[in-house]
Amino acid sequence: DMKTKFQYYVCSTYQKSHTGHRECTIHSTPRHMIEPVILEEIRHITQFAREREDEFVALVDETFDRTSEQELRSVKSELEKAKRRSAELDFIIKRIYEDNATGRLTNERFDKMYSEYESEQASLKKQIETLTERIETEQENRANTVHFLELVKKYTDISELTAEVVRIFISKIVCHQANGRWGKNRRQEVDIYWNFIGLVKPE
């Protein structure tokens, strides 16, 4: 009917921007134009993954390395620094206990120093836990390739774009502003972020 004939996808960044300050220009895409593109992308990546599995795994690894390796190195560096400081504090706290016991450090001074070191130690403990979780999450991303391949092998014949197919395969879709006017010359660039593997683009 006429109601469904003219349905559009509207840029969410524009919609969420405050009045008077837009992060991008308004742009929308008709359903009948974008959904075939999404279906074709799903069929393309699933066929690629199914028929050229080794190349697909290598592509996902390359994408992961390009987007995450630098961040992973940074997180690991922060973690090592936090662990070294935590070990130093263990030694320092032990020393001030000894100094207090032998009278080299007054009770008042000991209480103040102990409180400060314990507070820093507790903060470091939380930081170490957070950084460790981030590293584990990044490393698990590689294993997620296997999960995506399992989906590919389960859904071997995707002939239409259903809500189930979108939910199972896609995490997020970014539609860039189209080039050209309506018709054959209009080009719509789409970035699809897949479940488990993120933004991967087979040639």
Side-chain angles (χ1 to χ4, degrees), residues 64-89:
F64 173 85
D65 290 341
R66 187 169 60 247
T67 58
S68 302
E69 187 176 1
Q70 185 174 352
E71 180 181 356
L72 195 57
R73 283 200 304 267
S74 176
V75 173
K76 285 181 177 179
S77 176
E78 287 182 53
L79 179 60
E80 289 305 313
K81 184 178 178 181
K83 284 181 176 180
R84 284 197 301 270
R85 179 56 180 167
S86 181
E88 288 175 2
L89 288 175

Side-chain angles (χ1 to χ4, degrees), residues 10-26 172:
V10 179
C11 172
S12 60
T13 304
Y14 180 89
Q15 286 183 318
K16 292 175 184 177
S17 300
H18 298 298
T19 303
H21 176 71
R22 300 292 189 182
E23 296 176 34
C24 67
T25 59
I26 186 169
K172 179 176 70 173

Side-chain angles (χ1 to χ4, degrees), residues 4 55 143 171:
T4 58
E55 291 179 50
S171 169

Side-chain angles (χ1 to χ4, degrees), residues 88-102:
E88 288 175 2
L89 288 175
D90 285 339
F91 177 77
I92 290 170
I93 290 171
K94 181 181 177 182
R95 286 295 302 270
I96 65 171
Y97 264 115
E98 292 174 353
D99 288 348
N100 179 250
T102 58

Side-chain angles (χ1 to χ4, degrees), residues 118-171:
E118 277 293 292
S119 177
E120 184 182 356
Q121 188 73 289
S123 178
L124 282 169
K125 183 179 179 182
K126 289 181 180 178
Q127 183 183 5
I128 288 169
E129 289 174 356
T130 300
L131 292 171
T132 301
E133 287 175 3
R134 284 178 62 186
I135 290 172
E136 289 173 352
T137 299
E138 291 293 337
Q139 291 172 339
E140 284 172 3
N141 284 340
R142 290 181 182 272
N144 283 339
T145 309
V146 175
H147 297 309
F148 190 84
L149 285 170
E150 288 172 353
L151 291 179
V152 166
K153 291 171 183 176
K154 182 178 178 182
Y155 292 83
T156 56
D157 182 23
I158 302 172
S159 58
E160 62 177 323
L161 190 68
T162 64
E164 180 187 19
V165 167
V166 171
R167 176 180 57 80
I168 287 171
F169 282 96
I170 296 177
S171 169

